[in-house]
Amino acid sequence: MRLAAESLRLCLVTDRDLSRGRPTLDIVGAAVRGGATMVQLREKNATTRAFLEEARALKEFLAPFGVPLAINDRLDIALAVGADILHVGQSDMHVDDVRRIAGDRLAVGLSITCEADMLRADARAADYLGVGPVYAQQTKPDATPPLGIEGFRALMQHATKPVVAIGGLNAGNSAPVLAAGAAGLAVVSAIVAADDVEKAAMELADLWLADRR
């Protein structure tokens, strides 16, 4: 599946624990109104059935907006609901294996945390790379140490695919990431936990656009 470059500009990554009791669908709806161009559903603790039902509801909601749905880790869920993208990490299924099973039905994103990840064949096989964490973050307790802007720039030199930056990003610290060449921003807490989700997404979307005026 071909993934439009515009879809990478602002990816909302869901996190039930940060949503302050608000339904995921409400968070996603507000973020899309604010300018989110992609949604990645990340459910680490949900049962398979609950994950499937939530993914199906999000896919149905997003389709009229033309906003692609990415599923984190779970190829079976992605195929079952007709998602647009599967996002995998370094300990998940290899990108080539995903393609053997899914064919061209899914675009594939891959998480990158260090230079060694960037130099593996998987990084060349993926459609885009999620590089980070750029800054310190609290959404993944097992995350690697932050790269910082200089570390992010160093990894960008090896990138052969579009890069979406992730990790501690917000409207106040993302301009240097875009200036370093990121194709987009993947944001968790700055949107999901915001008092006004739509406004938070809009500020990030405006930042991306301002960088390219």
Side-chain angles (χ1 to χ4, degrees):
M1 177 180 178
R2 292 182 62 85
L3 188 62
E6 293 79 8
S7 298
L8 300 176
R9 291 178 178 178
L10 180 57
C11 176
L12 164 67
V13 182
T14 69
D15 190 311
R16 187 185 298 273
D17 293 338
L18 295 175
S19 65
R20 297 161 55 179
R22 297 171 292 189
T24 299
L25 192 58
D26 289 355
I27 298 285
V28 168
V32 169
R33 290 193 299 273
T37 56
M38 187 168 111
V39 174
Q40 181 179 330
L41 178 59
R42 188 166 70 182
E43 285 286 2
K44 294 295 187 182
N45 301 311
T47 65
T48 294
R49 184 166 295 182
F51 196 164
L52 183 64
E53 290 174 353
E54 186 173 39
R56 185 169 285 125
L58 285 181
K59 175 62 179 174
E60 182 178 352
F61 173 80
L62 292 171
F65 297 98
V67 173
L69 173 65
I71 299 296
N72 198 61
D73 300 345
R74 295 287 300 270
L75 176 58
D76 55 340
I77 300 289
L79 291 174
V81 304
D84 306 283
I85 305 159
L86 179 72
H87 190 94
V88 293
Q90 293 295 319
S91 62
D92 299 320
M93 188 177 292
H94 286 292
V95 174
D96 283 344
D97 290 326
V98 173
R99 297 202 192 282
R100 287 188 189 98
I101 296 170
D104 61 0
R105 286 176 286 178
L106 293 168
V108 185
L110 175 68
S111 293
I112 299 288
T113 63
C114 63
E115 183 177 359
D117 295 344
M118 190 69 89
L119 298 177
R120 293 190 182 108
D122 257 10
R124 296 188 296 275
D127 293 290
Y128 73 92
L129 307 174
V131 176
V134 180
Y135 303 114
Q137 51 79 52
Q138 298 179 343
T139 63
K140 291 186 71 175
D142 59 344
T144 56
L147 296 167
I149 292 298
E150 292 307 315
F152 181 79
R153 284 199 190 100
L155 290 190
M156 285 294 299
Q157 295 177 9
H158 300 289
T160 61
K161 296 297 175 68
V163 166
V164 176
I166 189 168
L169 300 175
N170 57 54
N173 65 15
S174 294
V177 178
L178 295 176
L185 309 170
V187 180
V188 191
S189 59
I191 294 179
V192 174
D195 292 334
D196 187 331
V197 170
E198 183 174 350
K199 180 181 178 182
M202 189 177 299
E203 288 174 349
L204 282 153
D206 286 349
L207 177 67
W208 196 97
L209 294 172
D211 185 69
R212 283 151 177 79
R213 286 186 186 125

